[in-house]
Amino acid sequence: MPRVIACTDDAAAEPEEVADALATDPFDPRDEDSVARSARWLRRLGNNRSFLADRIVAELTGAGESQASLYGAQVIMLSRAVGNCFLRANIWPAKGDALFRASGGDVFAYDLPHDHNFDFLTVGYHGPGYWSDYWEYDHAAVDGWRGEPAGLRFVERSRLAPERLMHYRAHRDVHRQLPPDALSVSLNIMHMAPGQGWRDQYRFDIERNAVASILTETGSEIALRLACALDHAEGLALAEHWGRHHESDRARLSAFSARALHAADNETRDAIWREAELCGSRLVAIEAWRHREAMERAAIPAQPVA
Amino acid sequence: MLRAFPGEPMVADPSYRAAMAQSAHEAVRARWDMHPVHGDLVAFGSGTGLEQCSALGALLADPMAVIAPLLDDLMRVMRTHPDGHMPLRFVRTAHFTALLLGASGRAKLSLLTYEPHAPGVAAATFTHGERIEHVLRGRADATLLALDRLDEAGRAVFARMRCQLVPGARFITDCARQTLMVDPPSRPVTVLRLARAAARPDPMRQFRLSDGALIHQAAGDCDASRRELMAVLLARLAPERAPRVLAGLTQGGPDHLRWQALRECLALDTARGFAALSRLADAPGDTLQSHAAALRTDLLAQHPQLHALMKRAPCPA
């Protein structure tokens, strides 16, 4: 589960002060001293009991810019990207809250077991804190195909209680968030690594202890898919190139899928997936085999009942 | 790979390479953002008529004249800098894949593909806004489903018109009453979509196709949902400061936001909350007037001391 960071500091800081500190002393999750320093700044932000109300008053009275269209209802951005991270607050409605009753829990990412492709620090700021079931796993041992055994090891169920400060480790800590007992808020320092978009984040099937799906996808993969759908010559050529050479197995799979989308007939589509099966990536090979099998099943005419 | 000077060893720091790649993608995005359609999206998104948005009009008249060069730019940077990723938002479902090309205010411009062999849909969704779709490539059959009326049990009664998506076809829908339901095609069908939400959107409604039952309803305005959540949170974070802000929220915006703000205000500050309640109860034509009047009557019956607050209010005459 995430590391609990023991950090005592009674000082309080404004978001701008924390952002300035992180700009000059970036959060490096690989460096224990950096984690400790960044955690201390998050602690100080959490000690500031008025800044969030100030932000909310500003936004509700029209003095602050609405962030709804960019980040959704649940997130309050506290800083722009500073160096390699940014600050944000998350609001966690309880089951009894009107918005939860109206929209359901899915929109708040509850009951979705997942890991993260980035590190972050978090602290409970208000309310009893959302609950989490926590697991750990070995990301390097997983290729990411659907149904692949994930080797999750359950740790505990606990909540992000007020002032509890934790370090979620990329590709190691898995959690399933559950609604808090009352409306709660957490504050985060979110790390952004170059190339992060190509590192896979998974959704897990807890009952089967398996990978359920890859959650990450990039605008590039979508753009490539649309370009192929539009018969864009360079898009099709790039899809072929990425399928063979991209460093990310997920990108290779996306590229083969985009080519298959463009294919004029099943024979061409099957040839593309056959090429994918032989490309040397286990993720791509297994997913390609699944596509070929599904196509074969779809092609078998239904047998008449005797 | 970066070459520092001729003869020097190549530099291959993955982090640096990824950062440079991302900068290249951001530069392409910045160039696209300079296109005149974005200026028109600002105007269109704040309510200007499409006839006054010449760049958007030109885009809809000949989409590939704009889309093709954009794709050229995107594919070029993706080939030369595969470590980066294009900073454009997107949506991917079993039924469609959409790339958000631009957004401002209530308007969104998307490139969207209806996915082949998608599963059938069991429900129709109606949002409060308008949508223009121009078919760029592919063919599919579709149904233009209209919400004709609600019967006595509140079930939707639909009118259906079959149509075809073919290249060059344009579909304009009033999304509060109409929805275009595309039959799963055998090959992808790609459209350019320009959408604009209503200024004060009614809730999104979803009806089951088999019997017209209303199966889901949600706030039509993400901003209003956010403001509602923040209002509730403010009441918890700063109960001494919140009532003034909450009372202000009762004056305008969607009804669900106003009502929630009123409830929170009443819970924190009886005098200010009751004054806000009375303003609503005494406002003819206000959509909350009858609910507010009924609540005021109930409160006065349960708490007669509230009559004193009514007597303090200035006579409107």
Side-chain angles (χ1 to χ4, degrees), chain B residues 167-255:
Chain B
R170 183 181 293 194
F171 294 86
I172 300 172
T173 47
D174 169 6
C175 301
R177 300 186 312 105
Q178 300 169 314
T179 185
L180 186 66
M181 308 201 66
V182 180
D183 296 356
S186 55
R187 296 195 66 205
V189 177
T190 306
V191 307
L192 181 71
R193 176 188 284 180
L194 176 65
R196 178 166 65 182
R200 285 183 152 209
D202 292 334
M204 175 276 283
R205 294 178 295 175
Q206 200 170 59
F207 296 95
R208 190 161 47 221
L209 288 173
S210 58
D211 62 1
L214 177 67
I215 56 176
H216 184 58
Q217 200 167 252
D221 183 349
C222 184
D223 184 54
S225 295
R226 176 186 173 80
R227 290 167 71 83
E228 181 181 338
L229 192 53
M230 292 171 75
V232 172
L233 179 58
L234 182 65
R236 309 290 180 272
L237 288 176
E240 70 293 342
R241 296 170 63 187
R244 178 184 61 79
V245 177
L246 294 169
L249 289 176
T250 66
Q251 300 300 297
D255 285 351

Side-chain angles (χ1 to χ4, degrees), chain A residues 1 114-117 135-143 149-155 169-174 200-202 204 209 211:
Chain A
M1 64 172 280
H114 62 280
D115 68 342
H116 304 89
N117 59 348
W135 297 263
E136 291 187 15
Y137 83 116
D138 183 1
H139 179 81
V142 169
D143 294 308
L152 299 174
R153 303 177 298 279
F154 181 73
V155 179
R169 296 160 297 186
H171 303 305
R172 177 170 174 177
D173 297 314
V174 175
D200 296 338
Q201 178 187 25
Y202 300 129
F204 295 96
N209 197 337
V211 173

Side-chain angles (χ1 to χ4, degrees), chain A residues 54 66 75 217 232 262, chain B residues 72 92 187 223 226 241:
Chain A
D54 292 342
S66 170
V75 174
E217 203 158 20
H232 188 266
H262 172 264
Chain B
D72 288 345
R92 178 103 181 254
R187 296 195 66 205
D223 184 54
R226 176 186 173 80
R241 296 170 63 187

